Amino acid sequence: MKDYLRRPYSFFLSRNSSDLAKTVLHETGQAISGALLPAMRLLSQIMLAGFVLAFIIAINPWISILAASIIGVIYLTIYLTARKWLNKIGRDRVDANKERYTATAEAFTGAKEIRLLGREDNYLERYRQPAKRLAKHEANSSLLNDTPQYAIEAFTFGGVLILVTLLITVEGGIENAIPIIGVYALAARQLIPAFHKIFSTFTAMRFNLPAVDNVLEDLESDTPKTLPLSNTNESRLRPKHTIRLTDISFRYPDSKGFALDQLSLSIKANTTIGIIGHSGSGKSTLADIMLGLLTPGNGSVFIDDTKLTDAASRQWQKSIGYVPQTIFLADQSIKENIALGIPENEIDMASVIHASKLAELHDFVTSELPSGYNTIIGERGVRLSGGQRQRIGIARALYNNPDVLFFDEATSALDNATEKLVMRSIKKLSGTKTIILIAHRLSTVRSCDEIIVIDKGKILTKGTWDEISASHPAALA
């Protein structure tokens, strides 16, 4: 979990969240209980079998070696025969488990659309097939663990009869043979379970090695880590003069074209900047680079004279308030969602209320919700409208009184009347904070100090609304 949380944002762009959850919640446990712990127990079973064998060999070497060899050959033959099959079904078990998690996550996340489309049976079938494969593989592995035991018991029963007959003949009577028979019976009682546990351990390890490989593959990935987890005592990196981007180029993995291509930009501190452009023009990528979430392939970002490196990104992000188009909401209270991640007993209610008032949320919370700021809003905020969810996101961004505010299509879910109220609050902050508005609605950026038009990863034009209207009217169309 810590390893994943320390990964750069780009890592999550190419990974399925349910697959990551599956690795954290299930595969790690499978790797430990199915491979690591059996491997640790293996030594004790080998030592026990070794001591018992040494003891009975000292009594009668030929009979002991013969019996131990036959038992060992039976187990070894079964293991070597099933080894590749175990590895194959072990890999498919990992894949089936991944498919189960994905189907479950999608079915519950999209419950509204799935019900309206009548696709419940489709998702049930998507879950059923991998669940059956998983159960089948685990049952087969368990069955293989027990199968040799019955073969060995049959051999042991027949072998004891032969041994008794042989010892009576060699020792000259039942009286002389009984002590030796007792020793071998006791040895068999210890030796056969030891051999069986050794076999079971090897088969369990072979079956669960794909789970180990799956975990280690991520832990040993070449994907670079970010800095250690955020430190609450870190100071902020505040822009006093400019936020400057020089020759920024960025290309997403497995993408042929550049999302941003040799883009340079300078934003004055405490001004309000609008960034507009058609879908796919690169404006959200530009925002992610300025946020320190993506590292450009070429070029640099400077906060005044400080280059934005991995070491400085945490300090920079402490100065930022960010409002995305889609707001993440936890199944917690209003105040816990505004102060996201902060323990309830450490939440500053004065900051919560102040941020809520700026986001035009306070009146709704106090007048319409039964428990006010303590009202539980349900998973993903399903009890709230789109505009209400958006305003919680805006309040969250304002909670820590940031120096820089990013609004990434943040007002797109608001109706015109609510957007005007929110924009009015944003305008009150103008001159005291650096505000960057990435917008779809042109009315949102009309009053900005400067508007930047992005097209195909480059700056098409920039200036005030009136300047762009005069020189590039098509850019505002």
Side-chain angles (χ1 to χ4, degrees):
M1 183 73 170
K2 181 179 179 181
D3 181 88
Y4 284 155
L5 288 177
R6 291 178 58 197
R7 297 299 177 104
Y9 175 65
S10 56
F11 171 78
F12 297 94
L13 297 178
S14 58
R15 294 296 297 270
N16 188 301
S17 60
S18 62
D19 184 32
L20 300 181
K22 180 263 303 180
T23 301
V24 172
L25 298 174
H26 190 272
E27 295 303 326
T28 49
Q30 189 78 14
I32 291 170
S33 63
L36 181 60
L37 292 180
M40 295 172 67
R41 298 189 189 105
L42 183 62
L43 181 61
S44 65
Q45 299 302 325
I46 292 175
M47 290 176 62
L48 174 62
F51 281 125
V52 174
L53 281 173
F55 178 63
I56 61 175
I57 286 172
I59 296 174
N60 192 317
W62 294 111
I63 294 177
S64 303
I65 292 173
L66 178 63
S69 298
I70 292 174
I71 294 174
V73 166
I74 292 174
Y75 276 116
L76 185 61
T77 301
I78 296 173
Y79 174 74
L80 292 177
T81 302
R83 182 177 56 179
K84 291 184 178 179
W85 174 74
L86 281 169
N87 201 45
K88 178 182 177 181
I89 66 173
R91 287 197 302 269
D92 192 53
R93 187 207 66 80
V94 173
D95 292 340
N97 203 30
K98 175 182 176 180
E99 292 170 28
R100 280 197 322 151
Y101 270 80
T102 301
T104 303
E106 291 179 4
F108 295 154
T109 302
K112 184 176 183 179
E113 291 87 345
I114 289 169
R115 180 171 293 276
L116 288 172
L117 292 168
R119 305 285 162 75
E120 295 93 340
D121 286 344
N122 300 64
Y123 272 88
L124 183 59
E125 192 63 24
R126 276 188 61 186
Y127 178 83
R128 178 185 288 116
Q129 294 305 321
K132 287 172 68 176
R133 280 163 46 211
L134 181 74
K136 179 182 177 182
H137 294 330
E138 291 183 343
N140 283 337
S141 174
S142 179
L143 182 64
L144 180 64
N145 283 343
D146 293 334
T147 299
Q149 183 175 356
Y150 303 113
I152 293 298
E153 286 176 355
F155 163 76
T156 305
F157 181 74
V160 166
L161 293 178
I162 296 172
L163 180 62
V164 169
T165 304
L166 181 63
L167 287 175
I168 290 174
T169 303
V170 172
E171 299 296 332
I174 188 66
E175 297 85 356
N176 297 327
I178 283 178
I180 300 177
I181 293 171
V183 168
Y184 278 102
L186 181 61
R189 188 176 182 277
Q190 295 296 323
L191 194 59
I192 291 174
F195 268 107
H196 184 67
K197 287 178 181 178
I198 292 171
F199 173 82
S200 298
T201 299
F202 274 112
T203 55
M205 289 170 61
R206 174 63 66 172
F207 178 67
N208 289 293
L209 271 179
V212 178
D213 293 339
N214 188 53
V215 173
L216 292 181
E217 184 179 350
D218 276 352
L219 289 175
E220 297 172 356
S221 170
D222 292 333
T223 303
K225 307 288 193 300
T226 62
L227 290 176
L229 302 179
S230 179
N231 183 353
T232 55
N233 296 321
E234 285 176 330
S235 60
R236 291 186 178 187
L237 178 58
R238 294 180 168 92
K240 297 179 180 178
H241 304 290
T242 59
I243 301 169
R244 185 163 46 91
L245 290 79
T246 58
D247 298 325
I248 295 294
S249 293
F250 182 83
R251 179 165 55 189
Y252 288 99
D254 303 323
S255 176
K256 294 181 180 179
F258 282 92
L260 296 176
D261 187 10
Q262 297 293 309
L263 185 147
S264 295
L265 175 65
S266 181
I267 299 172
K268 293 181 181 179
N270 300 325
T271 60
T272 301
I273 303 298
I275 300 176
I276 61 174
H278 297 296
S279 178
S281 61
K283 56 187 186 295
S284 290
T285 303
L286 175 61
D288 287 342
I289 287 176
M290 285 194 285
L291 288 165
L293 295 174
L294 296 178
T295 303
N298 293 304
S300 303
V301 179
F302 293 89
I303 311 303
D304 293 330
D305 295 325
T306 302
K307 185 177 180 180
L308 190 60
T309 61
D310 287 342
S313 62
R314 283 296 188 187
Q315 292 173 293
W316 165 236
Q317 288 162 357
K318 282 186 171 294
S319 296
I320 293 173
Y322 174 65
V323 188
Q325 182 175 7
T326 303
I327 304 298
F328 164 73
L329 294 175
D331 188 9
Q332 295 178 310
S333 65
I334 295 286
K335 67 180 181 184
E336 288 172 301
N337 270 283
I338 292 174
L340 186 67
I342 297 177
E344 187 175 6
N345 60 342
E346 297 178 17
I347 293 175
D348 182 350
M349 280 307 300
S351 296
V352 168
I353 293 171
H354 178 66
S356 297
K357 288 180 177 178
L358 288 176
E360 301 292 338
L361 179 68
H362 180 70
D363 291 341
F364 163 73
V365 172
T366 54
S367 63
E368 297 187 35
L369 297 181
S371 301
Y373 285 98
N374 293 314
T375 303
I376 304 297
I377 61 175
E379 186 182 11
R380 302 185 309 281
V382 292
R383 302 176 189 175
L384 303 176
S385 69
Q388 290 160 353
R389 290 196 291 269
Q390 210 73 17
R391 280 180 275 174
I392 289 176
I394 295 171
R396 178 188 297 162
L398 295 168
Y399 173 78
N400 286 320
N401 190 27
D403 301 281
V404 182
L405 280 170
F406 281 83
F407 292 85
D408 190 354
E409 303 276 9
T411 61
S412 61
L414 302 178
D415 57 75
N416 291 329
T418 305
E419 183 189 23
K420 288 179 180 178
L421 291 173
V422 172
M423 291 306 299
R424 188 174 65 189
S425 298
I426 293 174
K427 287 176 186 176
K428 291 178 183 177
L429 302 172
S430 297
T432 62
K433 298 181 185 297
T434 305
I435 301 173
I436 299 170
L437 294 169
I438 300 169
H440 178 69
R441 291 177 183 170
L442 299 179
S443 59
T444 305
V445 299
R446 186 162 194 145
S447 60
C448 290
D449 298 318
E450 185 177 43
I451 299 170
I452 299 164
V453 182
I454 304 291
D455 184 50
K456 296 179 181 178
K458 296 177 179 290
I459 295 178
L460 179 64
T461 186
K462 59 182 178 179
T464 64
W465 178 275
D466 292 335
E467 290 170 347
I468 295 176
S469 296
S471 61
H472 289 81
L476 300 177

